[in-house]
Amino acid sequence: MKKGAKKWLGLQFDFEENSKTIPSTNCTTVEVKKSKSDLSALKKRTFNFQLHLKPKIVTDLAVHSKKIGEVESWLQLNVINRPKNSVCNQTASFLLICGPTGSGKTATIQVLCKKLGIDISEWTNPVDQEFDFYRGVNQVTGFTEFLTESKWNSLFSVSDKKIILVEDFPNALVRKSEDFGAVLEECYYKGNYPIVFICTDSNDSKMNLSEKLFTQDLRNKYKIVEISFNACAMTLLRNALKRAHNLVQDNLDLFKTPSPETVNAIIATSMGDIKCAINQYYFASLLGTADLPTVSTKKPQKTGTKRKRTETSSSVQSMSRDQTLGLFHGVGKVLNPKRVETGGSWRLNCDLQKLIDEFSTQPTSFIAFLFENYVKYYGNLDDVCAAAEILSLSQTFLEKWVDRQDVLPFSLWVAVMGLMIHNEHRVMKWTPITGPKKTQKKVSERDVTDLYYRNIINNVENSRFDVTV
């Protein structure tokens, strides 16, 4: 209100710079072209390629249907069909989803929760700022409070079903993993909603959170269900890139269509990482980028053919790499050790530390391959006996200290060094590597001796399996 006046003044704006009125005549051709170019530039700046390709329904996921079914079954059992009074009378349930990067772990949870009408409350690490006059709660305390006290749904939610999603763990727990057990215990008895943990596999045992935080004792104690995702298969990657191709076709003013050779190269080099494949396809579809050069080779014409046929083989096929070759190469290095003679002595020509670090996340599987194949590579019975003793010793680490992640690499050291050192008489011929056979002992009435001692240990009387010894 103006001083001394008795009424309010209206808002006044000065348009001195744009005081000219807009003419009522039609726009010229130049102005139309300028407006179209401005709209095209605005669309190019605001177009989010990854957001448009984000999976919205189950068929958009580049994940095997079996894994999708396992996650959906857990959500149905622990969220949808959970009794309403379970918040007070039952303990919380945990799900651990692990797998390589870009295998669709987070996208699967988000799509299935949207399908089933489940809200997601996701934990995000805060940025710690310490001041002299203020000390806030530490990361572990805030993390525990979020997991146990997030009992209020969003005002925009119409469902009372909710899960808590944890993909970014506090750094304090990563550095001091023994404190994670206390967090799980607090959530197990005081948690209000099921919790889903997502961990990405890593070759470094110090960064492999699925093994470092979730030890075997914690999994058994709190009944943690684990679902392991595999890398995306090539067929699933190709289906995902078809969606990207359709998006490019709908926006040819912003993108160009990559050549089939470039698409094959993207699938071959992404190694099952859907995020990597989408990003490569995005860069390949940008205007002004060149296609991947290919090499054409002509095969000789077969006799009796009426027409010349030329087959083109692309050089991008050499860029592909089989994921299982890493394991096979590691087993081959151990069973075919290379030695370097130096002054009457020898040493192993292999970087043992690098080999151990590469398979430190899967010691059981690697040693199982060694168990299955080592006999065929030894040419002396004494060497075979020594190798058997070494492998039996390495198996002790896997059975006795299965909950100690810092001890498991010792089993690899014992098995790898023992087999490479004791192979004095190598079999110098090509021998194929076979996978370990999965054997499962079936308990039957014929195993009377084992059941007899089992009854004694468990103090079971009057059992029909009791025998006289």
Side-chain angles (χ1 to χ4, degrees):
M1 180 180 290
K2 188 176 181 180
K3 186 175 180 180
K6 295 183 179 180
K7 62 178 181 179
W8 292 95
L9 296 178
L11 296 177
Q12 296 180 357
F13 299 95
D14 295 333
F15 297 93
E16 296 180 356
E17 296 179 357
N18 300 325
S19 58
K20 297 182 179 180
T21 58
I22 300 176
S24 58
T25 57
N26 295 331
C27 298
T28 61
T29 306
V30 179
E31 292 175 346
V32 171
K33 291 182 179 180
K34 184 177 181 181
S35 62
K36 288 184 178 181
S37 61
D38 293 341
L39 291 175
S40 177
L42 179 62
K43 181 181 178 181
K44 188 174 182 179
R45 290 195 303 267
T46 59
F47 191 88
N48 194 328
F49 191 83
Q50 286 75 13
L51 183 61
H52 283 77
L53 291 178
K54 186 176 181 180
K56 300 177 178 60
I57 56 178
V58 176
T59 55
D60 294 341
L61 293 172
V63 182
H64 197 275
S65 58
K66 181 180 178 180
K67 298 300 179 182
I68 299 176
E70 292 179 3
V71 177
E72 186 173 3
S73 299
W74 187 89
L75 293 175
Q76 289 280 1
L77 179 63
N78 296 273
V79 184
I80 301 299
N81 299 328
R82 191 183 188 189
K84 294 183 179 179
N85 58 352
S86 62
V87 175
C88 301
N89 300 332
Q90 294 185 5
T91 55
S93 53
F94 304 109
L95 173 63
L96 173 62
I97 301 178
C98 55
T101 179
S103 57
K105 303 182 292 295
T106 306
T108 302
I109 283 291
Q110 293 175 348
V111 170
L112 290 179
C113 287
K114 182 180 179 180
K115 172 186 175 183
L116 300 175
I118 302 174
D119 292 335
I120 300 177
S121 180
E122 186 174 359
W123 162 263
T124 304
N125 279 340
V127 180
D128 294 338
Q129 295 181 355
E130 297 184 357
F131 301 94
D132 296 336
F133 59 88
Y134 173 76
R135 297 288 179 181
V137 296
N138 56 26
Q139 285 185 341
V140 179
T141 303
F143 181 66
T144 307
E145 291 177 354
F146 177 83
L147 298 182
T148 56
E149 298 180 4
S150 57
K151 52 188 175 183
W152 307 111
N153 290 333
S154 173
L155 296 176
F156 302 97
S157 175
V158 295
S159 174
D160 58 343
K161 305 296 183 181
K162 186 175 77 169
I163 64 169
I164 301 174
L165 180 62
V166 178
E167 190 173 6
D168 191 12
F169 292 84
N171 296 328
L173 291 177
V174 177
R175 292 192 300 265
K176 198 174 181 181
S177 58
E178 56 269 16
D179 294 341
F180 188 66
V183 175
L184 284 182
E185 184 176 5
E186 190 80 9
C187 300
Y188 187 69
Y189 295 105
K190 296 182 180 180
N192 298 316
Y193 292 97
I195 304 176
V196 179
F197 299 99
I198 296 180
C199 295
T200 302
D201 294 341
S202 174
N203 291 330
D204 189 358
S205 58
K206 296 181 180 179
M207 296 303 298
N208 193 16
L209 299 182
S210 62
E211 300 293 340
K212 184 178 182 180
L213 296 180
F214 299 89
T215 60
Q216 193 62 38
D217 287 344
L218 294 180
R219 300 186 186 194
N220 297 334
K221 183 178 180 180
Y222 301 113
K223 302 176 182 178
I224 302 176
V225 178
E226 179 182 1
I227 299 178
S228 180
F229 278 45
N230 300 321
C232 295
M234 297 185 65
T235 54
L236 296 176
L237 284 177
R238 193 173 294 277
N239 293 334
L241 293 184
K242 286 182 180 178
R243 297 179 56 237
H245 173 77
N246 296 333
L247 180 62
V248 169
Q249 293 298 315
D250 295 337
N251 300 273
L252 291 178
D253 56 334
L254 301 179
F255 305 99
K256 69 178 184 66
T257 305
S259 61
E261 291 78 10
T262 303
V263 175
N264 292 334
I266 292 173
I267 296 175
T269 57
S270 59
M271 297 302 298
D273 190 342
I274 183 62
K275 294 180 180 178
C276 178
I278 293 298
N279 289 333
Q280 290 189 65
Y281 192 91
Y282 170 71
F283 290 119
S285 61
L286 293 177
L287 296 176
T289 57
D291 291 333
L292 190 69
T294 58
V295 178
S296 299
T297 58
K298 294 184 179 181
K299 293 185 177 181
Q301 183 182 358
K302 296 182 180 180
T303 59
T305 57
K306 298 180 181 180
R307 185 175 54 184
K308 294 183 179 180
R309 296 180 180 180
T310 58
E311 297 183 5
T312 304
S313 61
S314 175
S315 63
V316 301
Q317 298 298 331
S318 61
M319 302 169 62
S320 61
R321 173 173 171 259
D322 191 356
Q323 295 179 354
T324 59
L325 289 181
L327 179 62
F328 290 157
H329 285 161
V331 174
K333 286 183 179 180
V334 176
L335 299 180
N336 288 293
K338 295 182 179 180
R339 301 180 179 184
V340 178
E341 302 290 340
T342 54
S345 60
W346 58 270
R347 61 179 179 86
L348 295 174
N349 187 17
C350 177
D351 190 350
L352 295 178
Q353 184 65 52
K354 182 179 179 181
L355 182 63
I356 297 299
D357 291 341
E358 185 175 356
F359 301 101
S360 60
T361 59
Q362 46 182 347
T364 304
S365 176
F366 190 78
I367 294 178
F369 269 87
L370 296 179
F371 261 111
E372 185 69 25
N373 298 275
Y374 79 98
V375 177
K376 300 179 293 184
Y377 289 82
Y378 284 73
N380 184 273
L381 186 59
D382 294 334
D383 296 346
V384 174
C385 294
E389 292 290 339
I390 289 296
L391 289 176
S392 300
L393 179 60
S394 66
Q395 193 67 21
T396 305
F397 288 92
L398 298 178
E399 295 178 353
K400 302 289 185 181
W401 293 280
V402 67
D403 57 334
R404 291 284 304 276
Q405 300 300 322
D406 55 337
V407 178
L408 292 183
F410 286 101
S411 62
L412 284 176
W413 279 106
V414 172
V416 169
M417 292 192 65
L419 292 183
M420 297 180 74
I421 291 175
H422 288 286
N423 196 356
E424 296 285 347
H425 306 82
R426 286 191 302 154
V427 176
M428 305 301 295
K429 67 176 183 178
W430 182 83
T431 306
I433 296 177
T434 58
K437 298 180 178 61
K438 296 183 179 179
T439 58
Q440 184 177 3
K441 183 179 180 181
K442 297 183 179 180
V443 179
S444 61
E445 296 185 5
R446 297 180 180 178
D447 301 329
V448 292
T449 305
D450 296 340
L451 294 175
Y452 171 75
Y453 289 110
R454 188 195 67 177
N455 295 337
I456 295 178
I457 295 173
N458 297 330
N459 295 324
V460 178
E461 298 180 357
N462 299 325
S463 174
R464 62 189 180 94
F465 294 114
D466 292 342
V467 295
T468 302
V469 294

